Amino acid sequence: MIGVTALLVLASIFVAPWYGPAEAGEPDPAYAAFQRGYYLTAFALATERVETKKDVKAMTLLGELYAGGLGIRQDDAKAADWYKLAADRGDRNAMFALAMFRLQGRAGPRDRDAAAKSLAAAAKLGHVVAAYDLALLYIEGQLFPQDFNRAAELLRAAALAGNPEAQYALGTLYKQGRGVPKDMKEATRLWALASLADNTDAEVEYGIALFNGDGIAKNEQAAAAMFRKAAQRGNAVGQDRLARILAEGRGAPANPVEATKWHLISKARGETDLMLDDFVNKLDANTRAAGEKAAKPWLDVIKRPRS
């Protein structure tokens, strides 16, 4: 994650804000209609709440409906107007949505400076994903001076709130000793938490730590299970690690056919592993052919042109 440009990660995480009731404990029929997919009803009720109560959350909901074209014609300009109205009145979800609009160039030219300011405002008010995204900007070091200490603070807040991407990223900082003391025990703890939420990158890092006994008790069987989970979700590194385990018979019974399958799949996704190349080349023709056959459904999907 750390090596990925923050702009690309930011743009892929979230487009529209999470929208919640106007006040804790107060019934919100507009939000209820939105949750159930009754978008026209949600639009009408939210409009009424804005007109009668100046409800900030209802403003954000109207922005959401316009942004997604939910029940009404999509209109980025109107969505941005509603988000800005709500953001100016302190709604953190609207601030985050406005940041995404500015980052993606919706309803106007791209404006990373304005997007960063909106993210900072949302993060200050406790928006978890905004804190995560802002941390990436501090790691990237383009809009702000690179600051791993500040990035770690933001990631810690998001991780404590249960965000698995933040848990994985903070674990990586602990592994590297950037912004926090180097601490593999804390890194593995965070990766274990993120793995529970099916974060595949965390599954791979946690699996590596388990396999090597780095920051946690060595457990090759548990490592193999982590690699298998990540592999089945399409993670190329997890596929490569699983192939090695199946080739060597460490953590799981040796299985040259499955090892060949996962090696070919990971290789098609860009992973290079000369040891596994050599392993597959030395197999007898029938075993190699069986592995190739097992990999074919995956390879067909990988090679299929994107529409």
Side-chain angles (χ1 to χ4, degrees):
M1 187 284 305
I2 299 302
V4 178
T5 300
L7 172 61
L8 298 178
V9 179
L10 281 164
S12 67
I13 290 174
F14 221 75
V15 175
W18 176 87
Y19 172 76
E23 296 178 13
E26 179 187 349
D28 187 341
Y31 175 55
F34 174 78
Q35 280 192 311
R36 297 174 66 185
Y38 298 154
Y39 299 125
L40 281 174
T41 301
F43 181 82
L45 293 172
T47 300
E48 181 183 2
R49 289 183 72 91
V50 169
E51 292 174 349
T52 60
K53 296 188 176 183
K54 307 299 182 186
D55 187 337
V56 174
K57 296 295 184 183
M59 295 175 189
T60 303
L61 178 55
L62 289 173
E64 166 83 348
L65 293 168
Y66 275 116
L70 303 173
I72 53 175
R73 182 176 62 84
Q74 184 178 8
D75 190 324
D76 284 353
K78 288 184 178 179
D81 287 343
W82 282 115
Y83 286 148
K84 189 173 187 311
L85 280 172
D88 289 346
R89 288 158 176 77
D91 186 75
R92 64 187 184 183
N93 296 309
M95 294 171 187
F96 179 73
L98 200 57
M100 295 297 99
F101 260 43
R102 287 167 171 165
L103 188 68
Q104 296 164 0
R106 295 179 65 174
R110 287 184 179 179
D111 189 339
R112 294 191 71 194
D113 289 330
K117 290 177 182 177
S118 293
L119 281 176
K124 188 175 182 179
L125 292 174
H127 194 288
V128 174
V129 182
Y132 169 73
D133 286 353
L134 190 61
L136 298 186
L137 291 176
Y138 276 108
I139 290 170
E140 182 190 50
Q142 292 186 19
L143 287 180
F144 305 108
Q146 192 173 59
D147 188 339
F148 288 100
N149 291 326
R150 178 61 177 143
E153 290 174 7
L154 290 161
L155 289 174
R156 186 175 292 108
L160 286 171
N163 182 279
E165 287 75 24
Q167 291 165 346
Y168 163 68
L170 184 58
T172 302
L173 292 185
Y174 272 108
K175 176 185 177 182
Q176 299 169 341
R178 304 175 83 175
V180 290
K182 191 170 183 177
D183 187 341
M184 275 302 297
K185 185 175 181 180
E186 180 64 8
T188 56
R189 185 188 73 82
L190 288 161
W191 291 332
L193 288 174
S195 296
L196 292 174
D198 296 332
N199 182 294
T200 56
D201 291 325
E203 287 169 353
V204 170
E205 290 288 357
Y206 188 45
I208 293 171
L210 284 165
F211 192 84
N212 295 327
D214 192 1
I216 194 170
K218 186 178 179 70
N219 189 329
E220 293 183 355
Q221 289 75 23
M226 283 290 111
F227 294 142
R228 187 175 296 279
K229 284 178 65 179
Q232 290 172 339
R233 294 189 178 95
N235 183 283
V237 178
Q239 291 163 348
D240 176 73
R241 292 283 177 163
L242 178 60
R244 279 186 170 241
I245 276 179
L246 295 170
E248 298 171 356
R250 294 180 60 184
N255 188 327
V257 172
E258 282 289 294
T260 300
K261 165 191 166 181
W262 288 115
H263 172 54
L264 293 176
I265 295 168
S266 67
K267 189 172 183 178
R269 292 185 180 278
E271 282 297 305
T272 300
D273 194 319
L274 298 180
M275 186 280 284
L276 285 172
D277 283 340
D278 187 56
F279 170 81
V280 172
N281 289 335
K282 289 179 179 178
L283 293 173
D284 64 84
N286 289 338
T287 301
R288 190 163 58 249
E292 292 170 351
K293 182 178 180 180
K296 189 176 184 304
W298 288 75
L299 299 179
D300 288 344
V301 172
I302 293 169
K303 295 175 183 176
R304 186 180 301 160
R306 293 183 179 181
S307 55

